[in-house]
Amino acid sequence: MAERKLFAGHAIRRLRFQLGVTQAAMAEALEISPSYLNLVERNQRPISAALMLKLAETYDFDPRRLAAAEPGGGAEALRRRLADPIFADLAIDRHQLEEWLAGAPDGAEAFARAYDRMGGGGSAMPAPGAAQDPGPQVRRAIERWRNHFADLDAAGEALADELRMAGEPYGAMADRLRVKHQLAVRILPAEVMGDALKRLDLHARQLQLSEALDPSARAFALAEQLAVEARDEIEALVRGAGLDRAAERPFRRHLTAYFAAAVTMPYARFLRACEASGYDLELLQRRFGASAAQVAHRLTTLQRVGARGLSFFLMRFDRAGQVSKRYAGASGSALVEAAVPCPLWNAYDAFARTDETAVQLVELEDGARAFTIARCVHPHGGAPGGVRPRFVIALGLPAAEAGTLAAARGVDLAGRAAPIGLGCRACTRLACPQRSAAPAGRAAAGSERERGVTAFGFAGD
């Protein structure tokens, strides 16, 4: 698979300003021409591998900062923000966006931070003292790294190798907690745990797990507890994200779960299994003793330099279409930005096909095509007899990358795709019989003498 070109002029220019050197002086140190460095800083040339290595050698610069430092998360992330209906009358095209990033990267970053601080849209700032949703900040922090945290993967893989030599994974993790951290693991009756599925009792030096957890969830809980061994790496990422205090906790929780996945599904072994099986989800579950949700989340993280997996994105939503998780990963797909997933997307069918996956080739308004795989999952609930939650986990990737997937066998990836949108308020497809509202910012249109396929007609472009 061809490598993506990396444009990171903003990061280079910021480094130069921090060092207090001119373009000519930096160009001389890097053994390139000042004019070429100027083009790189203006994002008119990508960062070459040779230049990346020279930066690392000359300035002790971590190359991973290049991918993480795109203003506002990069052009695609800014484009998704500008798709908000409050900007519908501005008609900012891709060329203008690229000029903005090249000419005023700090302004683009400031816009992204302000938009995210407002909770991802709206026409006014929150009232003083009002609680703010930390979700957009956390998502932005994750997307800056394309949900791939190399240090956590390396630490998790090293620990997994140690545990592998110590025997069966669950027993090895329990022994490590007991010997190294003086924590015993106890499985307690559901009625004793109540609504809690996991509890750390430091007074009794116990990690207490509910019997309601299945084996994959118990193993993952032990791996999360072992994240204490990667505390330095996790805290460095939290500090570097520059989040509000309210957003630090969910981001730390995400990184802890990321480390647990790196332990239970070590990167190199997991990627080899993916490629050998055609990313067969059920086989991956059995091989790594993981749940469908755990495997799906892991698939969005496979972006190690020199050993990349496919560019999966992920959404999790309930039967009302309320989205509780969304990761764009390296896919750049706008589909994850849908406020409410389009009802024409057959991912909803997975609620009725609880033991099967629902696959579909879809096409968005801008012509982007994706292959999607959806499955219903049942996270563990609380007390016995309580509500049993149900969600759909929907994975997707660009259709051009889906040819090797086991789930795509027999599907004509160049054939007709289902036309879907990003929710009625963001979709401008005409004559959609499923439409439930006119697009935001569009005037209603209709005639007393004529009725179309939808009652929510609107003025076209």
Side-chain angles (χ1 to χ4, degrees):
M1 185 174 64
E3 289 292 314
R4 298 174 184 267
K5 292 181 178 179
L6 176 61
F7 292 88
H10 180 61
I12 302 298
R13 178 161 45 193
R14 177 165 290 180
L15 172 65
R16 183 167 61 79
F17 287 167
Q18 290 172 347
L19 294 171
V21 298
T22 64
Q23 273 191 345
M26 176 174 270
E28 182 178 359
L30 297 175
E31 299 177 357
I32 58 176
S33 69
S35 59
Y36 177 66
L37 178 59
N38 182 51
L39 291 172
V40 168
E41 287 193 2
R42 291 165 56 199
N43 281 335
Q44 295 183 7
R45 291 290 186 277
I47 307 293
S48 67
L51 180 55
M52 196 180 301
L53 289 173
K54 193 66 178 176
L55 277 165
E57 293 172 358
T58 307
Y59 297 112
D60 191 25
F61 181 78
D62 185 349
R64 289 172 295 186
R65 289 170 55 191
L66 296 176
E70 296 176 271
E76 284 302 315
L78 285 170
R79 184 182 65 79
R80 292 195 292 269
R81 293 181 178 96
L82 290 168
D84 191 297
I86 64 174
F87 306 122
D89 62 324
L90 299 181
I92 298 174
D93 59 26
R94 185 173 294 275
H95 179 67
Q96 289 175 293
L97 184 57
E98 290 173 351
E99 285 187 338
W100 185 22
L101 281 169
D106 289 326
E109 175 71 14
F111 160 75
R113 292 185 187 182
Y115 180 88
D116 293 346
R117 184 68 58 84
M118 289 163 57
S123 58
M125 292 293 288
Q132 298 179 17
D133 177 12
Q137 284 193 68
V138 176
R139 277 198 61 213
R140 179 169 166 270
I142 294 169
E143 286 191 6
R144 286 175 72 91
W145 292 94
R146 293 187 173 90
N147 200 21
H148 173 70
F149 300 94
D151 289 346
L152 296 184
D153 262 314
E157 202 162 24
L159 177 55
D161 287 341
E162 288 186 50
L163 295 171
R164 196 178 187 190
M165 292 185 290
E168 181 269 329
Y170 181 89
M173 286 191 287
D175 285 344
R176 191 175 185 94
L177 286 172
R178 177 177 54 80
V179 174
K180 187 169 183 176
H181 302 285
Q182 293 76 54
L183 281 176
V185 178
R186 287 197 64 192
I187 310 298
L188 296 177
E191 58 268 23
V192 173
M193 294 291 288
D195 289 334
L197 297 173
K198 179 178 73 170
R199 180 186 298 121
L200 179 62
D201 187 336
L202 291 176
H203 178 72
R205 303 303 301 173
Q206 290 178 354
L207 176 62
Q208 300 170 350
L209 304 179
S210 170
E211 64 180 353
L213 294 174
D214 64 21
S216 66
R218 293 180 189 182
F220 202 81
L222 267 60
E224 285 185 311
Q225 188 59 45
L226 285 170
V228 68
E229 298 188 20
R231 181 188 290 122
D232 290 345
E233 291 88 343
I234 289 173
E235 291 306 316
L237 287 165
V238 172
R239 289 194 303 272
L243 302 173
D244 288 348
R245 188 175 296 276
E248 286 185 353
R249 181 175 295 177
F251 186 48
R252 185 179 289 108
R253 191 162 55 239
H254 176 83
L255 296 176
T256 298
Y258 188 103
F259 177 81
V263 173
T264 56
M265 293 170 277
Y267 193 102
R269 297 208 303 273
F270 186 76
L271 180 59
R272 284 197 300 270
C274 288
E275 294 175 341
S277 68
Y279 291 77
D280 187 311
L281 301 185
E282 291 187 4
L283 188 147
L284 293 170
Q285 284 179 243
R286 291 192 293 269
R287 182 169 299 183
F288 292 92
S291 69
Q294 290 165 7
V295 168
H297 282 77
R298 187 60 167 145
L299 288 175
T300 68
T301 70
L302 304 180
Q303 293 300 309
R304 177 178 284 177
V305 175
R308 297 186 192 278
L310 298 181
S311 305
F312 282 98
F313 61 83
L314 178 148
M315 294 180 73
R316 188 183 82 161
F317 53 90
D318 63 18
R319 282 178 287 190
Q322 299 174 110
V323 181
S324 49
K325 289 186 181 180
R326 51 178 102 222
Y327 302 125
S331 71
S333 176
L335 187 55
V336 297
E337 300 303 323
V340 176
C342 179
L344 297 178
W345 188 15
N346 81 345
Y348 287 99
D349 294 351
F351 283 113
R353 297 157 55 180
T354 55
D355 295 323
E356 302 176 26
T357 55
V359 302
Q360 190 177 33
L361 183 66
V362 300
E363 183 172 317
L364 299 180
E365 280 190 89
D366 62 2
R369 293 161 66 91
F371 180 77
T372 65
I373 308 166
R375 189 176 183 91
C376 185
V377 297
H378 304 271
H380 300 281
V387 173
R388 190 183 185 198
R390 298 175 69 196
F391 296 93
V392 157
I393 292 277
L395 283 165
L397 74 167
E401 295 185 27
T404 61
L405 292 184
R409 289 170 189 157
V411 177
D412 181 5
L413 296 172
R416 178 175 173 77
I420 68 172
L422 302 182
C424 292
R425 298 293 285 166
C427 177
T428 57
R429 288 190 189 276
L430 296 170
C432 174
Q434 186 65 60
R435 180 172 289 283
S436 298
R442 294 298 181 94
S447 169
E448 294 180 357
R449 297 190 296 271
E450 184 176 303
R451 171 69 184 268
V453 296
T454 175
F456 299 96
F458 56 93
D461 292 328

